[in-house]
Short mmCIF file of all heavy atoms in Angstrom, two decimals:
data_model
loop_
_atom_site.label_atom_id
_atom_site.label_comp_id
_atom_site.label_asym_id
_atom_site.label_seq_id
_atom_site.Cartn_x
_atom_site.Cartn_y
_atom_site.Cartn_z
N MET E 1 -91.20 128.59 30.65
CA MET E 1 -89.84 128.16 31.02
C MET E 1 -89.73 128.10 32.54
O MET E 1 -90.09 129.03 33.23
CB MET E 1 -88.81 129.15 30.47
CG MET E 1 -87.37 128.76 30.77
SD MET E 1 -86.23 129.94 30.05
CE MET E 1 -86.47 129.60 28.31
N SER E 2 -89.22 127.00 33.04
CA SER E 2 -89.11 126.83 34.49
C SER E 2 -87.97 127.67 35.06
O SER E 2 -87.06 128.06 34.33
CB SER E 2 -88.89 125.37 34.85
OG SER E 2 -87.59 124.98 34.49
N VAL E 3 -88.04 127.91 36.35
CA VAL E 3 -86.96 128.65 37.00
C VAL E 3 -85.65 127.88 36.90
O VAL E 3 -84.60 128.45 36.66
CB VAL E 3 -87.31 128.90 38.48
CG1 VAL E 3 -86.12 129.53 39.22
CG2 VAL E 3 -88.52 129.80 38.59
N LEU E 4 -85.72 126.58 37.04
CA LEU E 4 -84.50 125.78 37.01
C LEU E 4 -83.78 125.90 35.68
O LEU E 4 -82.58 126.07 35.63
CB LEU E 4 -84.83 124.31 37.31
CG LEU E 4 -83.62 123.37 37.37
CD1 LEU E 4 -82.63 123.85 38.43
CD2 LEU E 4 -84.07 121.96 37.67
N SER E 5 -84.52 125.85 34.59
CA SER E 5 -83.86 125.94 33.29
C SER E 5 -83.30 127.34 33.06
O SER E 5 -82.29 127.51 32.39
CB SER E 5 -84.84 125.57 32.17
OG SER E 5 -85.92 126.45 32.15
N ARG E 6 -83.93 128.36 33.66
CA ARG E 6 -83.38 129.72 33.55
C ARG E 6 -82.05 129.79 34.29
O ARG E 6 -81.11 130.41 33.81
CB ARG E 6 -84.35 130.73 34.14
CG ARG E 6 -85.57 130.95 33.26
CD ARG E 6 -86.60 131.78 34.00
NE ARG E 6 -86.10 133.10 34.37
CZ ARG E 6 -86.22 134.18 33.61
NH1 ARG E 6 -86.81 134.09 32.45
NH2 ARG E 6 -85.76 135.33 34.01
N VAL E 7 -81.97 129.17 35.46
CA VAL E 7 -80.72 129.17 36.23
C VAL E 7 -79.64 128.43 35.47
O VAL E 7 -78.51 128.85 35.40
CB VAL E 7 -80.94 128.54 37.62
CG1 VAL E 7 -79.60 128.34 38.33
CG2 VAL E 7 -81.87 129.41 38.45
N ARG E 8 -79.99 127.32 34.88
CA ARG E 8 -79.01 126.50 34.17
C ARG E 8 -78.37 127.26 33.01
O ARG E 8 -77.26 126.96 32.61
CB ARG E 8 -79.66 125.22 33.65
CG ARG E 8 -79.81 124.18 34.74
CD ARG E 8 -80.48 122.94 34.21
NE ARG E 8 -80.46 121.86 35.21
CZ ARG E 8 -81.25 120.80 35.17
NH1 ARG E 8 -82.11 120.68 34.19
NH2 ARG E 8 -81.17 119.88 36.09
N ARG E 9 -79.07 128.21 32.48
CA ARG E 9 -78.51 128.97 31.35
C ARG E 9 -77.30 129.79 31.78
O ARG E 9 -76.50 130.19 30.96
CB ARG E 9 -79.58 129.90 30.76
CG ARG E 9 -80.69 129.12 30.08
CD ARG E 9 -81.76 130.05 29.58
NE ARG E 9 -81.25 131.00 28.60
CZ ARG E 9 -81.89 132.07 28.20
NH1 ARG E 9 -83.06 132.35 28.71
NH2 ARG E 9 -81.38 132.87 27.30
N PHE E 10 -77.19 130.06 33.09
CA PHE E 10 -76.05 130.84 33.60
C PHE E 10 -74.82 129.97 33.82
O PHE E 10 -73.74 130.48 34.02
CB PHE E 10 -76.42 131.54 34.91
CG PHE E 10 -77.34 132.70 34.72
CD1 PHE E 10 -78.67 132.61 35.08
CD2 PHE E 10 -76.87 133.89 34.18
CE1 PHE E 10 -79.52 133.68 34.91
CE2 PHE E 10 -77.72 134.95 34.00
CZ PHE E 10 -79.05 134.85 34.36
N ILE E 11 -74.99 128.70 33.85
CA ILE E 11 -73.86 127.82 34.14
C ILE E 11 -72.99 127.68 32.90
O ILE E 11 -73.46 127.30 31.83
CB ILE E 11 -74.36 126.43 34.61
CG1 ILE E 11 -75.21 126.59 35.87
CG2 ILE E 11 -73.18 125.50 34.86
CD1 ILE E 11 -75.85 125.28 36.33
N SER E 12 -71.73 128.00 33.08
CA SER E 12 -70.80 127.91 31.95
C SER E 12 -70.47 126.45 31.68
O SER E 12 -70.53 125.61 32.57
CB SER E 12 -69.52 128.69 32.27
OG SER E 12 -68.87 128.14 33.38
N PRO E 13 -70.09 126.14 30.45
CA PRO E 13 -69.80 124.75 30.09
C PRO E 13 -68.49 124.26 30.67
O PRO E 13 -68.24 123.07 30.69
CB PRO E 13 -69.74 124.80 28.56
CG PRO E 13 -69.38 126.20 28.24
CD PRO E 13 -70.03 127.04 29.31
N GLY E 14 -67.61 125.19 31.14
CA GLY E 14 -66.32 124.78 31.69
C GLY E 14 -66.44 124.32 33.14
O GLY E 14 -67.53 124.15 33.68
N ASP E 15 -65.28 124.16 33.77
CA ASP E 15 -65.26 123.69 35.15
C ASP E 15 -65.44 124.82 36.15
O ASP E 15 -65.81 124.59 37.29
CB ASP E 15 -63.92 122.99 35.45
CG ASP E 15 -63.79 121.69 34.67
OD1 ASP E 15 -64.83 121.06 34.41
OD2 ASP E 15 -62.66 121.34 34.32
N GLU E 16 -65.15 126.04 35.75
CA GLU E 16 -65.24 127.14 36.70
C GLU E 16 -66.71 127.48 36.99
O GLU E 16 -67.53 127.52 36.07
CB GLU E 16 -64.56 128.39 36.13
CG GLU E 16 -63.06 128.20 35.95
CD GLU E 16 -62.39 129.48 35.49
OE1 GLU E 16 -62.99 130.55 35.64
OE2 GLU E 16 -61.27 129.39 34.98
N PRO E 17 -67.02 127.71 38.25
CA PRO E 17 -68.40 128.07 38.58
C PRO E 17 -68.73 129.46 38.06
O PRO E 17 -67.87 130.33 37.97
CB PRO E 17 -68.42 128.03 40.10
CG PRO E 17 -67.00 128.29 40.51
CD PRO E 17 -66.15 127.66 39.42
N ALA E 18 -69.97 129.65 37.74
CA ALA E 18 -70.42 130.96 37.30
C ALA E 18 -70.61 131.86 38.52
O ALA E 18 -71.18 131.44 39.53
CB ALA E 18 -71.72 130.84 36.53
N VAL E 19 -70.12 133.08 38.43
CA VAL E 19 -70.26 134.02 39.52
C VAL E 19 -71.03 135.24 39.03
O VAL E 19 -70.71 135.81 38.00
CB VAL E 19 -68.89 134.47 40.06
CG1 VAL E 19 -69.05 135.49 41.19
CG2 VAL E 19 -68.08 133.27 40.53
N VAL E 20 -72.05 135.60 39.77
CA VAL E 20 -72.81 136.80 39.46
C VAL E 20 -72.59 137.79 40.60
O VAL E 20 -72.82 137.47 41.76
CB VAL E 20 -74.31 136.49 39.31
CG1 VAL E 20 -75.09 137.78 39.11
CG2 VAL E 20 -74.53 135.54 38.15
N VAL E 21 -72.12 138.99 40.24
CA VAL E 21 -71.92 140.03 41.23
C VAL E 21 -72.93 141.13 40.97
O VAL E 21 -73.05 141.62 39.84
CB VAL E 21 -70.49 140.61 41.17
CG1 VAL E 21 -70.29 141.70 42.22
CG2 VAL E 21 -69.47 139.50 41.36
N GLU E 22 -73.66 141.50 42.00
CA GLU E 22 -74.73 142.48 41.84
C GLU E 22 -74.62 143.54 42.92
O GLU E 22 -74.37 143.23 44.08
CB GLU E 22 -76.08 141.76 41.93
CG GLU E 22 -77.25 142.64 41.58
CD GLU E 22 -78.53 141.83 41.54
OE1 GLU E 22 -79.14 141.64 42.61
OE2 GLU E 22 -78.92 141.39 40.46
N CYS E 23 -74.82 144.80 42.51
CA CYS E 23 -74.84 145.90 43.46
C CYS E 23 -76.12 145.85 44.28
O CYS E 23 -77.22 145.73 43.73
CB CYS E 23 -74.76 147.23 42.70
SG CYS E 23 -74.91 148.66 43.77
N ARG E 24 -75.96 145.95 45.58
CA ARG E 24 -77.14 145.89 46.44
C ARG E 24 -77.83 147.25 46.54
O ARG E 24 -78.93 147.35 47.05
CB ARG E 24 -76.75 145.40 47.83
CG ARG E 24 -76.24 143.97 47.80
CD ARG E 24 -75.77 143.51 49.15
NE ARG E 24 -76.89 143.40 50.08
CZ ARG E 24 -76.76 143.08 51.36
NH1 ARG E 24 -75.57 142.85 51.86
NH2 ARG E 24 -77.80 143.00 52.15
N GLN E 25 -77.17 148.28 46.07
CA GLN E 25 -77.76 149.61 46.13
C GLN E 25 -78.67 149.88 44.93
O GLN E 25 -79.78 150.35 45.07
CB GLN E 25 -76.66 150.68 46.18
CG GLN E 25 -75.82 150.63 47.45
CD GLN E 25 -76.64 150.97 48.68
OE1 GLN E 25 -77.53 151.81 48.65
NE2 GLN E 25 -76.32 150.32 49.79
N CYS E 26 -78.14 149.60 43.73
CA CYS E 26 -78.92 149.94 42.53
C CYS E 26 -79.26 148.71 41.68
O CYS E 26 -79.98 148.83 40.70
CB CYS E 26 -78.18 150.98 41.70
SG CYS E 26 -76.68 150.38 40.91
N GLY E 27 -78.71 147.55 42.04
CA GLY E 27 -79.08 146.33 41.33
C GLY E 27 -78.31 146.08 40.06
O GLY E 27 -78.63 145.14 39.33
N THR E 28 -77.31 146.90 39.78
CA THR E 28 -76.51 146.69 38.58
C THR E 28 -75.70 145.41 38.67
O THR E 28 -75.12 145.12 39.71
CB THR E 28 -75.56 147.89 38.38
OG1 THR E 28 -76.32 149.07 38.19
CG2 THR E 28 -74.66 147.68 37.16
N THR E 29 -75.67 144.65 37.60
CA THR E 29 -74.84 143.45 37.55
C THR E 29 -73.43 143.85 37.12
O THR E 29 -73.25 144.51 36.10
CB THR E 29 -75.42 142.44 36.56
OG1 THR E 29 -76.73 142.08 36.99
CG2 THR E 29 -74.56 141.18 36.50
N LEU E 30 -72.45 143.46 37.93
CA LEU E 30 -71.06 143.86 37.69
C LEU E 30 -70.26 142.70 37.13
O LEU E 30 -70.68 141.55 37.19
CB LEU E 30 -70.42 144.31 39.01
CG LEU E 30 -71.23 145.24 39.89
CD1 LEU E 30 -70.44 145.56 41.14
CD2 LEU E 30 -71.63 146.50 39.18
N GLU E 31 -69.07 143.03 36.62
CA GLU E 31 -68.13 141.97 36.28
C GLU E 31 -67.72 141.26 37.56
O GLU E 31 -67.65 141.87 38.63
CB GLU E 31 -66.90 142.57 35.61
CG GLU E 31 -67.20 143.21 34.27
CD GLU E 31 -65.95 143.86 33.70
OE1 GLU E 31 -64.86 143.32 33.87
OE2 GLU E 31 -66.08 144.94 33.12
N ALA E 32 -67.44 139.97 37.44
CA ALA E 32 -67.16 139.16 38.63
C ALA E 32 -65.95 139.66 39.40
O ALA E 32 -65.84 139.44 40.60
CB ALA E 32 -66.96 137.71 38.22
N SER E 33 -65.03 140.32 38.73
CA SER E 33 -63.80 140.75 39.39
C SER E 33 -63.97 142.07 40.14
O SER E 33 -63.09 142.49 40.87
CB SER E 33 -62.68 140.88 38.36
OG SER E 33 -63.04 141.84 37.38
N ARG E 34 -65.10 142.73 39.94
CA ARG E 34 -65.30 144.04 40.56
C ARG E 34 -65.85 143.90 41.98
O ARG E 34 -66.61 143.00 42.27
CB ARG E 34 -66.26 144.89 39.74
CG ARG E 34 -65.67 145.35 38.42
CD ARG E 34 -66.63 146.28 37.73
NE ARG E 34 -66.10 146.79 36.48
CZ ARG E 34 -65.35 147.88 36.40
NH1 ARG E 34 -65.05 148.57 37.48
NH2 ARG E 34 -64.89 148.28 35.24
N ASP E 35 -65.47 144.86 42.82
CA ASP E 35 -66.05 144.89 44.16
C ASP E 35 -66.63 146.26 44.46
O ASP E 35 -66.95 146.59 45.59
CB ASP E 35 -65.02 144.48 45.22
CG ASP E 35 -63.80 145.38 45.23
OD1 ASP E 35 -63.78 146.35 44.46
OD2 ASP E 35 -62.88 145.10 46.02
N ARG E 36 -66.76 147.08 43.41
CA ARG E 36 -67.37 148.39 43.55
C ARG E 36 -68.24 148.67 42.33
O ARG E 36 -67.83 148.44 41.21
CB ARG E 36 -66.30 149.47 43.70
CG ARG E 36 -66.86 150.86 43.93
CD ARG E 36 -65.76 151.88 44.14
NE ARG E 36 -65.01 151.65 45.37
CZ ARG E 36 -65.36 152.13 46.56
NH1 ARG E 36 -66.42 152.91 46.68
NH2 ARG E 36 -64.66 151.87 47.63
N CYS E 37 -69.41 149.20 42.59
CA CYS E 37 -70.35 149.46 41.50
C CYS E 37 -69.92 150.69 40.70
O CYS E 37 -69.73 151.76 41.28
CB CYS E 37 -71.74 149.67 42.09
SG CYS E 37 -72.97 150.09 40.84
N PRO E 38 -69.78 150.56 39.37
CA PRO E 38 -69.41 151.70 38.54
C PRO E 38 -70.57 152.68 38.35
O PRO E 38 -70.38 153.81 37.92
CB PRO E 38 -69.00 151.07 37.21
CG PRO E 38 -69.79 149.80 37.15
CD PRO E 38 -69.92 149.33 38.58
N GLU E 39 -71.78 152.26 38.64
CA GLU E 39 -72.96 153.09 38.42
C GLU E 39 -73.19 154.05 39.57
O GLU E 39 -73.43 155.24 39.38
CB GLU E 39 -74.19 152.21 38.23
CG GLU E 39 -74.14 151.37 36.96
CD GLU E 39 -74.14 152.23 35.71
OE1 GLU E 39 -74.81 153.27 35.70
OE2 GLU E 39 -73.44 151.86 34.74
N CYS E 40 -73.12 153.55 40.79
CA CYS E 40 -73.44 154.39 41.95
C CYS E 40 -72.26 154.53 42.91
O CYS E 40 -72.35 155.28 43.88
CB CYS E 40 -74.67 153.85 42.68
SG CYS E 40 -74.39 152.31 43.57
N GLY E 41 -71.16 153.80 42.66
CA GLY E 41 -69.97 153.95 43.48
C GLY E 41 -70.01 153.17 44.78
O GLY E 41 -69.08 153.24 45.58
N SER E 42 -71.06 152.43 45.00
CA SER E 42 -71.18 151.68 46.23
C SER E 42 -70.29 150.45 46.21
O SER E 42 -70.09 149.83 45.17
CB SER E 42 -72.63 151.24 46.43
OG SER E 42 -72.73 150.37 47.55
N ASP E 43 -69.72 150.11 47.38
CA ASP E 43 -68.99 148.85 47.46
C ASP E 43 -69.84 147.79 48.16
O ASP E 43 -69.34 146.74 48.56
CB ASP E 43 -67.64 149.03 48.18
CG ASP E 43 -67.80 149.53 49.60
OD1 ASP E 43 -68.96 149.75 50.03
OD2 ASP E 43 -66.78 149.71 50.27
N ASP E 44 -71.11 148.07 48.28
CA ASP E 44 -72.03 147.11 48.89
C ASP E 44 -72.55 146.19 47.79
O ASP E 44 -73.65 146.36 47.27
CB ASP E 44 -73.17 147.86 49.59
CG ASP E 44 -74.06 146.90 50.38
OD1 ASP E 44 -73.68 145.73 50.54
OD2 ASP E 44 -75.12 147.34 50.84
N VAL E 45 -71.70 145.26 47.41
CA VAL E 45 -72.06 144.32 46.34
C VAL E 45 -72.08 142.91 46.90
O VAL E 45 -71.43 142.61 47.90
CB VAL E 45 -71.07 144.41 45.16
CG1 VAL E 45 -71.09 145.81 44.55
CG2 VAL E 45 -69.67 144.02 45.58
N VAL E 46 -72.84 142.08 46.25
CA VAL E 46 -72.94 140.70 46.69
C VAL E 46 -72.60 139.78 45.52
O VAL E 46 -73.08 139.97 44.41
CB VAL E 46 -74.34 140.39 47.26
CG1 VAL E 46 -75.43 140.66 46.22
CG2 VAL E 46 -74.43 138.98 47.78
N ALA E 47 -71.75 138.79 45.81
CA ALA E 47 -71.37 137.80 44.78
C ALA E 47 -72.08 136.49 45.06
O ALA E 47 -72.10 136.02 46.19
CB ALA E 47 -69.86 137.60 44.80
N THR E 48 -72.66 135.96 44.01
CA THR E 48 -73.34 134.68 44.13
C THR E 48 -72.68 133.67 43.21
O THR E 48 -72.53 133.92 42.01
CB THR E 48 -74.83 134.83 43.75
OG1 THR E 48 -75.42 135.81 44.59
CG2 THR E 48 -75.56 133.51 43.93
N VAL E 49 -72.25 132.56 43.76
CA VAL E 49 -71.64 131.50 42.96
C VAL E 49 -72.70 130.49 42.59
O VAL E 49 -73.43 129.98 43.45
CB VAL E 49 -70.50 130.80 43.74
CG1 VAL E 49 -69.93 129.65 42.90
CG2 VAL E 49 -69.42 131.80 44.10
N ILE E 50 -72.82 130.24 41.31
CA ILE E 50 -73.79 129.26 40.82
C ILE E 50 -73.01 128.05 40.33
O ILE E 50 -72.30 128.12 39.33
CB ILE E 50 -74.64 129.86 39.69
CG1 ILE E 50 -75.33 131.12 40.16
CG2 ILE E 50 -75.66 128.82 39.20
CD1 ILE E 50 -76.01 131.88 39.03
N ASP E 51 -73.09 126.97 41.07
CA ASP E 51 -72.34 125.78 40.66
C ASP E 51 -73.24 124.57 40.57
O ASP E 51 -74.45 124.69 40.67
CB ASP E 51 -71.17 125.52 41.60
CG ASP E 51 -71.64 125.26 43.02
OD1 ASP E 51 -72.87 125.21 43.24
OD2 ASP E 51 -70.79 125.14 43.90
ZN1 LIG I 1 -74.80 150.47 42.23
#
């Protein structure tokens, strides 16, 4: 499976772009609305928009 097809699987069928939020401390994937990691308590998170 190519990298591109793996990325495409994250794209939602609607108009809203897919957002992935990940903790930079422990790597946990968070809900898009969160800005603090529930696992380690860090607010050092990064949001990536996939459109
Ligand atoms: Zn964390």
Side-chain angles (χ1 to χ4, degrees):
M1 182 179 291
S2 72
V3 173
L4 183 58
S5 62
R6 288 170 61 91
V7 172
R8 280 179 172 162
R9 292 177 61 194
F10 287 107
I11 300 175
S12 63
D15 293 329
E16 295 184 18
V19 179
V20 175
V21 180
E22 189 174 85
C23 175
R24 295 177 67 183
Q25 294 294 325
C26 69
T28 298
T29 300
L30 315 180
E31 295 176 38
S33 60
R34 290 185 178 273
D35 59 3
R36 183 177 294 273
C37 177
E39 294 296 323
C40 71
S42 173
D43 61 359
D44 187 10
V45 299
V46 58
T48 302
V49 177
I50 303 171
D51 62 4

